[in-house]
């Protein structure tokens, strides 16, 4: 029999019946719970250091939960925190996450939700602790490992951190939730996780929840049987069946209709589903990766994303940085696209002029890597030469001021 | 509908005390229900007392506690009223809070009646 590690939970909740309920929720689980009613007592308990996770109510009699978060460093605690907040106080939860909380729970919640939040947290921590370099490590980061994380270009610290999460997450079956602006490489990240993991020989099936009409989406995910609806002339497997043994990548998850989110949640929970019009329950083994260019907590607050689905999927979060936050990578990426496009278009472009490099670094790239790729393609198709010069830049790059140092030299 | 079924039905599918009863021995379950009864009553009384003396900070804190407990019990009406009272106090609208407090008593009484049935 495998031995289950017992975790110590510090519960900070001043309303006694609620505290007792939460303690009972965790009674049959591998958790021991210490309950305190004030922020001051919580800080004292943290000082003693016997805490694997703190469940922290935001509204305490002597100080707010946000104050407790802010003062954790003073008592030398790095204990992960799940904040408990009232319904309608998502903004406080977001503030708490920004202040360092690992997750949040909205009252009221039941035993299952509490256990899932804790299980997700510990799974994420285990994966993070297995990384070769921790965030606290101060030695220089190793250079990019394109052979390990295929498809990425860039050696900026922020991308090094992304590569490490990908490498650490790949062997696990834990769900991954990728956020980031359009064009930052969310799909590439999903593919990299799949390719680097034990499911690499099985399919990764991508489904764009924003691109498929609502009425077809259920069939796209779960498939259908013949006669399920007009046009269903044969049985057809959906993404869930096609991804069996592999990975199901749900892009633009926040655009999925709420009714279908409920069905997806059930599928996530027990990995079984019924095709549209079918009666037989099908069981599969699928790893889930979801992505969105929206802020998922805001989507939860606005009622467009089910909170329980968010909890289920948000085990390993990855936030893709916009290109403007990795300026040191812009030239490497541009050079890569230039070489590739030149080869494809049978052109002789080999380099960017220093002025163009400076302009690329100065531009804020609202469309991110995808925009950079399109700009390079445009230049290669429309012009001839070996060096890309400022005159070749398409709009809106042609309006970027050349940084002064190059004007003076020129 | 009575008892757990009644409370849970108001909670939009969120079953709260039901699962608790399922994995607790009857004595422990009755104890926790009794604790809810006592504390809900106490906070409702505290709101009424504090309202009489104009102590809106106490009204706000007690309403916050009450909303949390009634929410966990799935008692929607009491939860919503308590949240509105809390919000009015937090927004400096004591007059609005005072106007809502008379509505709170029957909602809390309804919650307590349901709890008493559960405890039987």
């Amino acid at each position: 029999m495998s031995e289950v590690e017992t975790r110590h939970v510090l519960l900070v909740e001043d309303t006694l019946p609620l505290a007792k309920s939460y303690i009972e929720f965790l009674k049959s689980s591998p958790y021991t719970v210490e309950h305190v009613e004030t922020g001051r007592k919580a800080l004292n308990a943290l000082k003693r250091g016997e805490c694997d996770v703190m469940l922290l109510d935001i509204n305490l009699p002597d100080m707010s939960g946000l104050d407790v978060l802010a003062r954790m460093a003073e008592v030398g605690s790095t204990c992960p925190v799940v904040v408990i907040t009232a319904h309608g106080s998502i903004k406080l939860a977001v503030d708490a996450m920004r202040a360092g909380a690992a997750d949040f729970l909205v009252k009221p919640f039941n035993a299952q939700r509490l256990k899932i939040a804790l299980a997700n947290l510990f799974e994420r921590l285990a994966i993070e602790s297995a990384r070769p370099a921790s965030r606290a490590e101060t030695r220089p980061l190793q250079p990019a490992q394109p052979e390990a994380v295929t498809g990425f270009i860039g050696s900026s610290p922020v991308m090094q951190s992304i590569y490490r999460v990908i490498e650490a997450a790949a062997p696990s079956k834990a769900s991954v939730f990728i956020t980031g602006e359009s064009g930052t490489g969310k799909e590439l990240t999903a593919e990299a996780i799949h390719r680097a993991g034990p499911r690499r020989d099985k399919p990764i099936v991508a489904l764009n929840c924003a691109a498929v009409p609502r009425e077809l989406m259920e069939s796209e995910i779960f498939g259908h049987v013949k006669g399920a609806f007009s046009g269903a002339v044969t049985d057809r497997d959906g993404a869930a069946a096609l991804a069996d043994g592999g990975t199901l990548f749900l892009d633009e998850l926040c655009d999925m209709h709420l009714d279908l989110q409920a069905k997806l949640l059930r599928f996530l929970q027990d990995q079984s589903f019924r095709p549209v019009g079918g009666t037989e329950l099908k069981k599969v083994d699928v790893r889930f990766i979801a992505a969105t260019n929206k802020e998922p907590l805001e989507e939860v607050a606005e009622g467009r994303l089910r909170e329980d689905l968010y909890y289920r999927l948000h085990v390993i979060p990855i936030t893709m940085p916009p290109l403007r936050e990795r300026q040191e990578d812009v030239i490497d990426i541009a050079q890569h696209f230039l070489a590739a496009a030149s080869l494809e278009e049978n052109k002789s472009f080999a380099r960017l002029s220093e002025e163009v490099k400076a302009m690329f670094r100065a531009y804020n790239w609202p469309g991110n890597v995808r925009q950079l790729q399109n700009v390079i393609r445009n230049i290669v198709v429309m012009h001839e030469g070996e060096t890309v010069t400022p005159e070749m830049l398409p709009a809106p790059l042609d309006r970027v001021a050349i940084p002064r140092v190059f004007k003076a030299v020129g | 509908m009575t008892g757990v079924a009644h409370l849970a039905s108001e909670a939009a599918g969120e079953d709260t005390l039901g699962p608790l009863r399922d994995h607790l021995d009857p004595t422990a379950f009755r104890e926790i229900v009794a604790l809810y009864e006592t504390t809900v009553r106490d906070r409702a009384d505290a709101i009424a007392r504090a309202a009489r003396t104009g102590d809106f900070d106490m009204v706000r804190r007690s309403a916050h506690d009450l909303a949390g407990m009634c929410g966990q019990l799935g008692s929607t009406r009491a939860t919503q009223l308590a949240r509105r009272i809390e919000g009015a106090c937090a927004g400096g609208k004591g007059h609005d809070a005072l106007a809502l407090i008379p509505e709170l008593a029957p909602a809390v009484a309804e919650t307590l009646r349901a709890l008493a049935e559960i405890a039987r």
Side-chain angles (χ1 to χ4, degrees):
Chain A
M1 205 169 68
S2 64
E3 201 171 305
V4 180
E5 190 180 351
T6 300
R7 309 283 193 170
H8 186 68
V9 179
L10 175 62
L11 169 62
V12 191
E13 168 63 69
D14 64 314
T15 310
L16 196 54
L18 293 179
K20 293 277 186 200
S21 297
Y22 305 156
I23 291 167
E24 293 301 332
F25 286 166
L26 295 176
K27 212 163 195 175
S28 58
S29 306
Y31 300 106
T32 57
V33 184
E34 176 186 357
H35 170 224
V36 296
E37 295 179 341
T38 64
R40 194 172 306 278
K41 285 179 183 172
L43 289 166
N44 285 337
L46 289 170
K47 209 171 186 173
R48 294 198 305 272
E50 296 159 355
C51 169
D52 292 311
V53 62
M54 174 162 62
L55 283 173
L56 175 65
D57 187 26
I58 287 283
N59 205 313
L60 297 168
D62 58 339
M63 65 179 82
S64 90
L66 293 175
D67 294 332
V68 176
L69 275 169
R71 291 176 60 180
M72 283 178 68
E74 289 173 24
V75 296
S77 175
T78 56
C79 178
V81 179
V82 176
V83 295
I84 301 170
T85 184
H87 180 68
S89 307
I90 294 284
K91 190 188 171 301
L92 273 178
V94 173
D95 289 345
M97 299 281 276
R98 287 189 179 133
D103 207 345
F104 70 95
L105 284 160
V106 178
K107 293 178 186 175
F109 52 85
N110 61 19
Q112 188 190 24
R113 189 162 296 172
L114 175 58
K115 287 176 190 173
I116 288 171
L118 292 178
N120 283 355
L121 176 67
F122 286 118
E123 189 163 4
R124 196 160 83 211
L125 293 174
I127 286 167
E128 283 177 2
S129 69
R131 286 188 207 171
S134 74
R135 275 176 291 184
E137 212 166 358
T138 53
R139 69 176 172 78
L141 292 163
Q142 296 299 308
Q145 299 167 36
E147 71 281 3
V149 186
T150 52
F152 284 95
I153 303 148
S155 54
S156 58
V158 66
M159 287 310 292
Q160 294 290 344
S161 151
I162 298 283
Y163 302 152
R164 290 203 162 86
V165 177
I166 290 171
E167 285 169 356
S172 161
K173 197 190 168 184
S175 299
V176 179
F177 203 115
I178 307 168
T179 52
E181 295 175 11
S182 293
T184 50
K186 296 186 289 295
E187 185 163 355
L188 195 62
T189 303
E191 286 170 0
I193 292 166
H194 176 78
R195 304 268 172 250
R199 296 170 174 261
R200 66 176 73 85
D201 295 328
K202 296 285 186 178
I204 173 169
V205 180
L207 203 57
N208 187 322
C209 303
V212 180
R214 178 183 158 187
E215 58 274 16
L216 294 180
M217 195 63 190
E218 185 175 356
S219 166
E220 286 295 315
I221 298 178
F222 301 122
H224 61 252
V225 298
K226 183 181 173 182
F229 48 86
S230 60
V233 291
T234 58
D235 289 0
R236 180 175 175 275
D237 280 339
L242 295 171
D244 191 14
T247 302
L248 180 57
F249 174 51
L250 298 165
D251 201 1
E252 307 299 357
L253 177 80
C254 295
D255 289 294
M256 183 181 283
H257 191 266
L258 282 169
D259 290 348
L260 198 51
Q261 288 185 25
K263 291 180 180 174
L264 179 65
L265 179 66
R266 283 195 290 277
F267 176 37
L268 268 157
Q269 282 165 340
D270 56 17
Q271 299 256 316
S272 62
F273 63 93
R274 276 192 182 84
V276 177
T279 52
E280 188 190 347
L281 203 60
K282 294 197 171 184
K283 185 96 179 155
V284 289
D285 168 27
V286 169
R287 184 194 196 166
F288 293 91
I289 301 179
T292 181
N293 60 7
K294 296 176 179 167
E295 171 49 62
L297 288 178
E298 283 176 14
E299 296 300 299
V300 169
E302 294 296 324
R304 291 187 290 264
L305 176 64
R306 283 182 67 111
E307 187 191 344
D308 41 14
L309 182 62
Y310 168 78
Y311 280 125
R312 277 280 177 185
L313 288 168
H314 200 261
V315 181
I316 302 172
I318 298 179
T319 303
M320 299 305 294
L323 193 52
R324 62 183 169 277
E325 289 178 12
R326 41 184 294 223
Q327 295 282 4
E328 56 268 66
D329 290 337
V330 169
I331 303 308
D332 284 347
I333 298 169
Q335 297 277 20
H336 170 83
F337 287 144
L338 185 66
S342 290
L343 192 66
E344 280 180 31
E345 301 290 340
N346 201 23
K347 297 283 181 88
S348 52
F349 281 107
R351 69 189 71 83
L352 308 170
S353 71
E354 291 304 315
E355 293 94 326
V356 168
K357 285 183 184 175
M359 290 164 82
F360 276 11
R361 288 194 195 99
Y363 185 58
N364 73 350
W365 299 106
N368 294 299
V369 178
R370 192 175 295 134
Q371 183 189 11
L372 175 55
Q373 186 174 19
N374 292 342
V375 164
I376 296 289
R377 172 70 69 177
N378 177 294
I379 292 166
V380 171
V381 169
M382 302 299 289
H383 301 277
E384 299 290 341
E386 291 185 356
T387 304
V388 177
T389 58
E391 301 74 42
M392 297 178 183
L393 298 183
L397 270 293
D398 57 350
R399 291 195 292 275
V400 174
I402 300 176
R404 189 169 295 165
V405 58
F406 291 105
K407 277 187 178 167
V409 171
Chain B
M1 272 192 303
T2 57
V4 172
H6 174 72
L7 287 167
S9 73
E10 290 185 339
E14 282 290 336
D15 205 0
T16 48
L17 279 179
L20 200 58
R21 179 165 61 180
D22 291 344
H23 74 249
L24 276 186
D25 67 73
T27 309
F29 180 73
R30 274 198 297 276
E31 279 174 11
I32 204 165
V33 169
L35 186 60
Y36 269 105
E37 276 188 277
T38 308
T39 318
V40 164
R41 185 173 286 117
D42 175 72
R43 293 299 189 277
D45 290 347
I47 290 170
R49 272 198 311 276
R52 282 197 292 274
T53 60
D55 183 352
F56 290 108
D57 187 52
M58 175 58 83
V59 173
R60 181 190 59 77
R61 282 188 281 130
S62 299
H64 175 83
D65 287 354
L66 188 63
M69 286 185 289
C70 291
Q72 193 65 44
L73 293 167
S75 186
T76 309
R77 190 160 158 251
T79 306
Q80 287 175 347
L81 276 166
R83 289 255 174 268
R84 288 168 64 193
I85 292 167
E86 181 191 0
C89 293
K93 295 175 180 169
H95 190 74
D96 290 354
L98 289 175
L100 289 166
I101 287 171
E103 294 180 47
L104 188 63
V108 167
E110 184 188 331
T111 304
L112 289 170
R113 262 196 308 277
L115 275 172
E117 284 181 34
I118 296 169
R120 269 211 296 267

